[in-house]
Amino acid sequence: MFEDIRPYNDSEISAAMSRIVANPYFSKLSSFVFPEMDIEQVRDMILSIDNIYDFQLKVMHRVNQRIIEESITEFTFSGLERVDPEKNYLYVSNHRDIMLDASLLQSVFLTHGIGTTEITFGANLMQGQLVIDVGKSNKMFKVERPGGSIREFYKASKHLSDYIRMTLHEKNESVWIAQRNGRTKDGVDRTDQGIINMFRPEVIVVGGGVSNQ
């Protein structure tokens, strides 16, 4: 039912790693993320990864460390005492950076023994096999940006809402979602009403508009 938007599962990781190391950009990315290793060492390490947890720990956590080292003066966080590692959560966050908002959060969770989340990933960003493989290996699932009629928008939103609900209650995974479509330009972080509607038990189309019950 969700094959069109879901992230990879563990059985798909080895194939994704093979595609990543074969990508023309691999050597450039390797030199940035693992400057202390030669490319063959990095290639062998990547090819040895066969599950999502190891990819997040060995690769994405290192990516985040390098970004912090190279571009952030001070990185701080708080509030982990309110997170129960035995529970699943729906995290609704402001959206200042397309990728780093959720990515940095995953590293914090990894280093503190908290399960990482699945992450919304705009279809407009899912361009090229390398981006798709890295994103889906990092528990990112696709969010469609439908145009056209209200019914098309409703259908995509309902599909996404059903996936999030299934992930929380059946897969027992937490989910991260931005509180609005796109980044705030004026620093005013207001949650989009459409996001709130997605969290309600049932959303139905009535006439030409959307109604909640």
Side-chain angles (χ1 to χ4, degrees), residues 11-163:
S11 67
E12 298 168 302
I13 295 300
S14 291
M17 297 301 104
S18 295
R19 290 191 297 269
I20 287 172
V21 301
N23 191 278
Y25 291 104
F26 175 73
S27 60
K28 183 175 292 187
L29 293 172
S30 172
S31 63
F32 172 75
V33 180
F34 303 100
E36 74 284 1
M37 299 170 64
D38 64 51
I39 189 169
E40 290 305 319
Q41 288 177 308
V42 179
R43 189 186 308 276
D44 290 344
M45 184 271 290
I46 297 292
L47 289 174
S48 72
I49 295 173
D50 62 4
N51 62 81
I52 292 167
Y53 176 79
D54 281 350
F55 179 74
Q56 291 192 311
L57 182 65
K58 296 178 180 180
V59 178
M60 295 309 300
H61 180 53
R62 180 58 179 157
V63 169
N64 290 325
Q65 286 181 315
R66 291 289 291 147
I67 290 172
I68 291 171
E69 292 167 3
E70 295 293 322
S71 63
I72 298 177
T73 302
E74 183 181 19
F75 176 66
T76 63
F77 56 88
S78 61
L80 289 186
E81 70 279 359
R82 300 183 180 184
V83 179
D84 184 344
E86 301 301 316
K87 294 182 179 180
N88 305 320
Y89 294 88
L90 176 61
Y91 297 94
V92 184
S93 169
N94 63 5
H95 193 27
R96 300 301 177 89
D97 185 276
I98 292 172
M99 298 295 290
L100 283 180
D101 294 320
S103 188
L104 292 173
L105 179 66
Q106 308 310 305
S107 282
V108 171
F109 286 162
L110 276 171
T111 55
H112 289 81
I114 299 171
T116 56
T117 76
E118 290 200 9
I119 307 164
T120 52
F121 192 23
N124 58 308
L125 303 176
M126 208 174 269
Q127 302 292 327
Q129 192 61 50
L130 178 63
V131 174
I132 292 171
D133 284 333
V134 171
K136 288 191 169 188
S137 297
N138 194 36
K139 298 171 71 171
M140 303 180 82
F141 59 94
K142 184 166 66 173
V143 178
E144 294 289 355
R145 309 291 194 195
S149 71
I150 186 67
R151 288 184 179 276
E152 290 175 345
F153 181 80
Y154 159 75
K155 184 178 179 181
S157 297
K158 181 67 165 58
H159 191 49
L160 180 64
S161 178
D162 289 344
Y163 178 76

